[in-house]
Amino acid sequence: MNKTIRKMASTKYAEDFVNFLNASPTPFHAVHSAKNLLEKAGFEHIKAIGVETYGGGLWHTWFDRDLSIAGRAMIRTKAGDFQQKLVHIKKPILRIPTLAVHLDRQENFAFNNETQLFPIAGLAAAELNRRSEDRDYEKLEKEQSDSNQSFDPLSVPSERHHPYLVELIAKEANVSASEIDDFEMVLYDTQEACIGGLNDEFIFSARLDNLGMSYCSTIGLIESLETSLDDDSTVRLIALFDHEEIGSTSAQGAGSTLLPAIIKRLCALGTSAEDNASAYEETLSKSFLVSADMSHSVHPNYPAKHESEHRSEMNKGTVIKINANVRYATNSPGIALIQEMARRAKKSSTSPSKAETGVPLQLFVGRNDTSCGSTIGPMLSAALGARTLDLGNPQLSMHSIRETGGVHDIEHSIRLFESFFSHFGQACYGLALSHLKALPKRKRLVFVSNNSTKSRQEYKKKFDSMNINCNVEEIFGSSYSAAIYISRKLRLSPPKNKVYVLGVGGVETELDSESIPHIGGTDESLRREMTGDDYEKIASGEMLDPDVGIVLTGLDFHVNYLKIALGMAYIRRGAIFLATNIDTTLPSNKTLFPGAGATSAPLIAASGKEPLALGKPSQAMMDAIEGKFKLDRKRTCMVGDRLNTDIQFGIEGGLGGTLLVLTGVSTKEDLLGGGKEVVPMAYVDKLADLASK
């Protein structure tokens, strides 16, 4: 990738973010902008929430800036209803002028917030002249006079505020001034956000804190939809709160009951009253909260204000924030998880790494003699009891009217959030397996599968893609079990040792690993309709291989009458009938499809013979595993998601424990209640739950 293309790819996210900033001068507009992005991506709007903002700022930066107002106005319609309208006056109408240095030679710029921070909007003489010449003003006075015929508990807006300001707001809202019942407006700097720096590496703007992380999490959620939701058991959720700067204790703040109420409603979906009793608490124990708020970049003019070993820099990745006094909620398990998300993230276009995936992260730890601020992370972590981590993109001049951030950090952060939403469920699965593998060294973890379509090497690749550390020898699939049984148990002598396969590549690969000759399987010449000539040649034996001594069935995606007829002919001539497994169904995409048993069923019906199944719950498979790994059955636990294969396999094998995971075929209804033939010692909703215990 050449430098020009990489630069374009990286700045695309930053340019879109700049447009988002310019369209969002107030929290009201930010909500509207985020709502538009989500609806465009296919999200459904349920209910919008109006917000306001205020708090501490670097107020000296507001002097001598071209200011205007934006916010929302409450409109009383002619029908008597109320309607909310966004207002964004883009021309400069206000300014807070500094006192000339000649009149006050103070060494440090100091001012009184009450008396010296007022913006000026115009000159009195000019306003008087405008009134005498403006017929609209006379019309406004008449409208207000007419409206005063009815009782108003409060004085009308044009009496509480400058009349011309009310006119400007009304014009922007496309209503008359008399229709405005009230409004909430904030000052903002009219200078638009932009990309700057010698190499276009900076974003100069107001409100980076915290529209930066609000935007990145929103886009990350949208881009995570590239991965299917069908196989994801998690709920992907973002919450954009107001009032963080003043303590979050408001209806729209993080200290409200808003987020708990939403989570409780989500927990109630698709559950019975009995299950719903503890669903909220169980959900929180399995959840992970990322508190995303902008962080501090090292200041080149004040490096001593930063801890020497943790100086985060712009454009070098999202920052994990740490504080021993829990001003931030980060801990080691959270760092481990977010690192895993960063490893799996799509590679940023500016990354110098040779790895195919991954985005950079940084650490921030404040100095002991310097305050570090705080976030909503500790507050929400305490209220919800959910695992929490604080992070944010680094920036300079936080709370200034003009802040500075890094262009490339926008892409880094979006990639990180996209990975978090896409891979959290898988990562927790991997952490749960790591939790099991972290047991004392005398404990062994073996992956046992009835899926005959994959070889051990293919499973290893899948585990590697999920960052699950295991080796091929720890994987024991039904195809491998069949190959082991044929080569080490049956030990048929050549030439009558060839296998006719009704299955796919996974079976063939494992037969090859044991040097077992085979035919059928993926042979494309058998993927056709049976002809009259085929009938004659099968009946005469001309189409049959005389060296076939075994018929082995597995899941075959191209099973047909011809393949079944050949299998039946071999069995009738004395071939041993084996099956990798006889599972009737295959779970996929949150529903069930025909399993390997559907391949062997026609042969069973036609030949009148039952195959020896070598997958779960067959004890032939258990014997093979025991022989290979020298396991102590009484000190072994079977973990699986299907009662009639996994759990029955463990029970009939005399294992010391069985654990059912409710993410496969078997449900809680199959498990609970009297008269059940197969009952595990314990169950969990999903394997990832083990990572939260």
Side-chain angles (χ1 to χ4, degrees):
M1 182 182 292
N2 64 51
K3 185 175 180 181
T4 303
I5 295 175
R6 288 176 61 185
K7 178 179 175 182
M8 289 175 62
S10 178
T11 59
K12 171 65 168 60
Y13 286 104
E15 290 167 356
D16 290 344
F17 174 49
V18 165
N19 293 334
F20 178 86
L21 285 166
N22 290 330
S24 309
T26 74
F28 314 118
H29 293 80
V31 169
H32 183 70
S33 298
K35 172 177 170 287
N36 287 342
L37 288 171
L38 292 168
E39 288 184 337
K40 186 177 179 181
F43 286 78
E44 183 178 349
H45 174 218
I46 298 176
K47 185 178 180 181
I49 301 173
V51 295
E52 66 173 356
T53 188
Y54 57 96
L58 296 178
W59 299 121
H60 65 274
T61 65
W62 286 70
F63 281 79
D64 297 328
R65 304 292 298 184
D66 298 336
L67 307 176
S68 190
I69 60 172
R72 66 176 176 182
M74 298 302 297
I75 310 300
R76 184 189 292 271
T77 67
K78 294 179 180 179
D81 300 324
F82 287 97
Q83 186 180 60
Q84 176 181 292
K85 287 197 173 185
L86 293 178
V87 173
H88 185 182
I89 298 176
K90 297 183 178 180
K91 76 169 186 175
I93 60 173
L94 300 162
R95 196 174 181 89
I96 306 173
T98 53
L99 184 63
V101 66
H102 313 86
L103 303 179
D104 187 4
R105 296 185 181 274
Q106 55 181 325
E107 183 175 342
N108 297 315
F109 182 40
F111 52 90
N112 185 291
N113 285 3
E114 174 64 24
T115 61
Q116 297 171 337
L117 199 59
F118 280 114
I120 60 173
L123 298 176
E127 174 63 7
L128 290 173
N129 290 335
R130 185 189 70 84
R131 289 189 184 186
S132 63
E133 299 173 0
D134 194 345
R135 294 181 180 178
D136 287 340
Y137 183 76
E138 295 177 1
K139 181 181 178 182
L140 172 63
E141 285 188 318
K142 184 178 185 306
E143 288 177 348
Q144 298 292 5
S145 176
D146 293 342
S147 68
N148 287 337
Q149 301 301 315
S150 60
F151 176 72
D152 290 309
L154 290 174
S155 56
V156 294
S158 61
E159 294 177 1
R160 287 183 275 138
H161 305 281
H162 195 292
Y164 192 29
L165 182 66
V166 178
E167 289 180 53
L168 286 176
I169 294 171
K171 183 178 180 181
E172 181 69 19
N174 197 28
V175 296
S176 67
S178 61
E179 291 178 280
I180 296 178
D181 200 72
D182 200 11
F183 54 78
E184 295 172 84
M185 299 289 151
V186 299
L187 293 184
Y188 79 96
D189 186 2
T190 59
Q191 183 177 0
E192 291 191 335
C194 65
I195 292 175
L198 291 176
N199 296 295
D200 289 340
E201 65 264 57
F202 298 130
I203 297 175
F204 303 134
S205 176
R207 304 177 298 281
L208 292 181
D209 178 33
N210 187 39
L211 288 186
M213 302 315 293
S214 298
Y215 176 81
C216 290
S217 60
T218 301
I219 300 301
L221 175 63
I222 292 171
E223 297 205 349
S224 76
L225 299 181
E226 293 179 9
T227 61
S228 174
L229 295 175
D230 292 336
D231 296 324
D232 188 357
S233 62
T234 69
V235 174
R236 306 174 188 182
L237 171 68
I238 60 172
L240 310 181
F241 288 109
D242 196 13
H243 299 160
E244 187 268 341
E245 300 294 345
I246 57 168
S248 299
T249 52
S250 68
Q252 301 88 260
S256 70
T257 60
L258 175 63
L259 185 58
I262 290 174
I263 296 175
K264 286 178 180 177
R265 290 178 64 185
L266 291 173
C267 293
L269 296 176
T271 61
S272 63
E274 179 183 355
D275 293 337
N276 194 29
S278 61
Y280 175 65
E281 290 76 11
E282 291 179 20
T283 297
L284 292 178
S285 71
K286 303 165 192 172
S287 299
F288 193 89
L289 170 67
V290 174
S291 168
D293 197 357
M294 294 293 283
S295 185
H296 299 288
S297 173
V298 63
H299 198 301
N301 299 335
Y302 303 92
K305 288 291 185 181
H306 301 264
E307 207 279 327
S308 59
E309 299 299 321
H310 299 92
R311 294 180 175 179
S312 49
E313 301 177 34
M314 289 181 289
N315 289 324
K316 290 191 175 182
T318 303
V319 179
I320 300 171
K321 299 187 277 187
I322 304 170
N323 182 262
N325 296 308
V326 200
R327 300 287 288 174
Y328 306 128
T330 304
N331 59 18
S332 293
I335 293 176
L337 178 65
I338 210 68
Q339 280 194 97
E340 189 60 35
M341 299 297 96
R343 287 190 190 98
R344 300 185 185 199
K346 294 177 182 175
K347 185 176 179 179
S348 297
S349 56
T350 57
S351 173
S353 172
K354 294 182 180 180
E356 294 182 357
T357 61
V359 293
L361 294 173
Q362 304 182 78
L363 293 174
F364 171 80
V365 179
R367 288 172 56 99
N368 288 321
D369 57 358
T370 305
S371 62
C372 67
S374 188
T375 69
I376 63 175
M379 175 189 301
L380 286 175
S381 178
L384 300 175
R387 295 166 293 169
T388 305
L389 179 134
D390 271 291
L391 55 71
N393 283 348
Q395 68 163 91
L396 292 172
S397 307
M398 188 177 289
H399 292 193
S400 170
I401 198 171
R402 199 73 177 169
E403 301 171 326
T404 300
V407 161
H408 308 311
D409 288 327
I410 302 300
E411 184 184 12
H412 293 327
S413 187
I414 289 173
R415 299 291 193 208
L416 180 63
F417 279 116
E418 177 191 6
S419 178
F420 177 76
F421 289 122
S422 300
H423 299 134
F424 173 71
Q426 277 191 354
C428 282
Y429 178 84
L431 287 174
L433 293 178
S434 299
H435 177 71
L436 292 175
K437 297 194 77 170
L439 293 170
K441 290 185 178 179
R442 65 180 180 274
K443 308 295 185 185
R444 177 185 287 275
L445 186 62
V446 180
F447 298 90
V448 183
S449 172
N450 265 9
N451 187 345
S452 64
T453 65
K454 286 184 171 63
S455 66
R456 291 171 298 158
Q457 289 77 13
E458 289 173 311
Y459 265 114
K460 177 67 167 64
K461 290 179 181 179
K462 181 177 181 179
F463 288 147
D464 288 344
S465 71
M466 299 169 66
N467 284 321
I468 297 173
N469 184 25
C470 72
N471 57 61
V472 171
E473 294 304 312
E474 293 175 318
I475 303 169
F476 209 97
S478 60
S479 291
Y480 178 63
S481 177
I484 291 294
Y485 182 83
I486 293 169
S487 66
R488 305 182 192 184
K489 184 74 172 177
L490 294 180
R491 297 182 180 180
L492 297 183
S493 300
K496 200 71 174 178
N497 64 339
K498 190 174 289 187
V499 179
Y500 172 71
V501 177
L502 263 166
V504 293
V507 179
E508 294 175 320
T509 300
E510 296 297 5
L511 291 175
D512 289 337
S513 72
E514 292 292 313
S515 301
I516 301 171
H518 56 84
I519 61 172
T522 57
D523 184 353
E524 293 190 3
S525 68
L526 299 180
R527 296 180 185 178
R528 59 179 176 81
E529 292 185 2
M530 189 160 168
T531 66
D533 193 40
D534 293 329
Y535 281 99
E536 292 180 7
K537 289 182 178 180
I538 292 176
S540 67
E542 182 182 348
M543 198 170 174
L544 303 179
D545 189 326
D547 294 335
V548 169
I550 298 169
V551 172
L552 176 62
T553 65
L555 183 59
D556 192 330
F557 300 119
H558 303 282
V559 66
N560 57 30
Y561 189 82
L562 175 59
K563 290 184 178 182
I564 294 168
L566 287 168
M568 177 184 174
Y570 285 124
I571 293 172
R572 292 187 65 187
R573 288 180 174 235
I576 299 171
F577 190 9
L578 303 177
T580 58
N581 68 89
I582 53 173
D583 293 357
T584 55
T585 56
L586 170 71
S588 181
N589 293 78
K590 296 186 178 181
T591 188
L592 297 177
F593 293 89
T599 303
S600 59
L603 279 177
I604 295 172
S607 68
K609 295 183 180 294
E610 292 286 341
L612 172 62
L614 296 164
K616 300 171 291 186
S618 168
Q619 290 308 296
M621 189 182 207
M622 180 68 77
D623 294 340
I625 294 172
E626 181 183 37
K628 179 175 181 178
F629 298 107
K630 309 300 180 186
L631 59 84
D632 181 350
R633 296 198 183 198
K634 293 299 181 184
R635 296 174 61 82
T636 302
C637 179
M638 178 66 202
V639 181
D641 61 10
R642 192 165 184 158
L643 286 169
N644 66 345
T645 56
D646 302 318
I647 303 307
Q648 187 173 338
F649 181 62
I651 294 173
E652 292 182 356
L655 301 187
T658 50
L659 174 66
L660 179 69
V661 184
L662 299 176
T663 51
V665 176
S666 298
T667 65
K668 190 178 291 187
E669 288 71 27
D670 299 328
L671 169 68
L672 302 178
K676 305 297 182 182
E677 295 181 1
V678 180
V679 180
M681 291 183 65
Y683 74 91
V684 291
D685 287 336
K686 56 182 180 292
L687 188 61
D689 294 353
L690 297 178
S692 63
K693 301 303 182 186

